[in-house]
Structure formats: C-alpha cells, structure tokens
Amino acid sequence: MKGFIFDLDGVIVDTAKYHYLAWKHLADQLGIPFSEEDNERFKGVSRRRCLEILLEMGGMEVPQIQFDAWLQEKNEDYLRYISQMDSSEILPDVPRVLDYLRGKDIPMALGSASKNAKAILEKVELTSYFRTIVDGTEVAKAKPDPEVFLIAAYRLKIPPADCVVLEDALAGIEAANSAGMYSIGIGDPKVLFEADRVFRDFTQIELDYLEELLYLNSKPVK
Ligand code: B16
Ligand code: MG
C-alpha cells in the first residue's frame, strides 16, 4: 500500500502570487526592493524565515515586537487575498489526479509549511480528499527537515519508504528525500533536479505513471 503526500502552495493552488503581493506591500513600506525573483526564495519557507530574509535583504535589524507586528500585518494582507479564493484556483488537472487516487482508495495527506493550509483547502473545497493535514502550526522544524512528511506518513499509517511526495520547492524535495520517500517535483527540472521525477505541472502526469507508482517497490534506504 502506498501513501501520497501533497504540498499545498505551488502544487495544489498557486498562492505564491498572493504571498508575493503581500510581501511586496510590506517591502515597499520598508523601502526594500523586492521582485518576483526574490519571491522564489520564499517558496516552501516559513513565514517567520521569509521576514528574516526580507530584513536581511534590507540590511535591517528590528526589535522582536516590531518583527511580530510586521509578520501579522503581512499575514492579514495575505488573508484578504485568500478570502477571495474559490475552486477555480485549483491548478490544472489536480482534481484528475486526486480523483484517480481516491478511486483506488489510496490514503492521501497534505504536508505544508503554511499556517493557513486548512483555510485554503476549505476555500477551494478539497479538504475531504485528505485523511490528514499537517501544516505550519504543527511542525517545529521547517523543510528541508523531513518532519512535516514524517508526521504525515505516521498519521497515514504508511511507512515512509512507501510514501510519494509531490512538491514544488527544492527544500521540500530535500525533505522528502531525507524522509526516505519517493519525491516528485512539480515545476522546473533545473530547480528540482534532486527529485526522483519532475513534471512541469499535473497535466503532464499520466494515469499509467500513477498506476506504476502504486506497484513500485519500497524506496531502498540509502
Ligand atoms: P503562511 P507550502 C509555504 O507553503 C509557501 O510555499 C511559502 O511561500 C510560505 O511562506 C509558507 O507556506 C508559510 O505560509 O504564511 O501561510 O504560514 O508550499 O509548504 O504549502
Ligand atoms: Mg510549495
């Protein structure tokens, strides 16, 4: 029996654009130049770490109370975008893959760094697909640490070597690999070169390939 663990942002929905707008808004206020390219570094990275990176970019050091206020401000801004989301924002062919796996009774989990993961899944009406949701509120060590995926595997009751992870961030692929899981990158193969397999997006994932994965031997321990 295999288990599938999905990242959220960049795999199921494209919330990176909303994170970008919210970070950009804060960066503008602080006078720190911030481009979409800079935002790439924030993918899969915790909110707190993102703000640390932004302040490093601006050469700023601030008291904890100010740091926490900006974190909250960014999140409130981000939540305003999230509140407008609906199922039209699910990335192409994601439901096709989820429906196929659900049809085979394959246990699925969500493993995301986002503290807003549950709210986003509700907005796009995908909550019911997942037996368990492990999000940024439950994890102490951020990706590339494997904690988020190991908790997900434990809750699915599937050994890590029989879990398949779908991830768009290199840190997430590294996390899956160090958990001993089969890693599928969603995005640019040059960025996600450490993955066992990479697809540009879900439209490239054929059902025959998914079927093969279901019968794959457990991933050997390195
Ligand atoms: P939040 P993922 C990650 O989600 C995002 O990729 C990353 O850009 C974001 O900073 C992080 O969640 C925290 O999000 O501010 O909502 O707690 O890709 O792990 O699903
Ligand atoms: Mg992601």
Side-chain angles (χ1 to χ4, degrees), residues 36-85:
E36 287 196 49
E37 208 173 87
D38 295 321
N39 192 55
E40 286 298 308
R41 291 173 62 194
F42 285 18
K43 289 189 177 171
V45 175
S46 73
R47 192 185 312 162
R48 190 159 276 282
R49 182 66 198 131
C50 290
L51 183 54
E52 282 169 7
I53 299 172
L54 185 69
L55 296 179
E56 277 162 29
M57 286 165 60
M60 291 172 76
E61 268 185 52
V62 295
Q64 193 61 42
I65 192 157
Q66 178 64 80
F67 187 94
D68 290 344
W70 283 337
L71 264 191
Q72 193 181 337
E73 201 182 304
K74 183 270 169 183
N75 194 49
E76 281 168 6
D77 209 7
Y78 177 66
L79 287 176
R80 273 190 283 277
Y81 293 108
I82 297 308
S83 67
Q84 306 294 319
M85 284 181 87

Side-chain angles (χ1 to χ4, degrees), residues 7-11 43-44 143 167-169:
D7 175 49
L8 179 66
D9 292 339
V11 168
K43 289 189 177 171
K143 302 167 188 175
E167 247 294 341
D168 70 313

Side-chain angles (χ1 to χ4, degrees), residues 20-34 54:
Y20 171 67
L21 291 171
W23 284 124
K24 174 82 179 141
H25 188 213
L26 180 65
D28 286 351
Q29 277 180 59
L30 307 184
I32 303 171
F34 186 71
L54 185 69

Side-chain angles (χ1 to χ4, degrees), residues 2-4 11 23 29 33 42 86 88 92 104 116 119 122 128 131 147 149 154 160 184 195-196 208 210 212 214:
K2 298 287 176 195
F4 276 65
V11 168
W23 284 124
Q29 277 180 59
F42 285 18
D86 61 28
S88 67
K104 299 264 177 191
N116 297 305
E122 282 291 310
S128 65
R131 287 204 193 164
E147 186 183 16
F149 296 139
Y154 177 78
I184 301 180
D196 290 309
D208 284 352
L210 287 179
E212 264 171 46
L214 300 186

Side-chain angles (χ1 to χ4, degrees), residues 153-179:
Y154 177 78
R155 292 202 193 146
L156 289 178
K157 301 189 177 65
I158 303 282
D162 288 313
C163 287
V164 176
V165 172
L166 292 99
E167 247 294 341
D168 70 313
L170 181 58
I173 295 294
E174 288 169 349
N177 290 345
S178 53

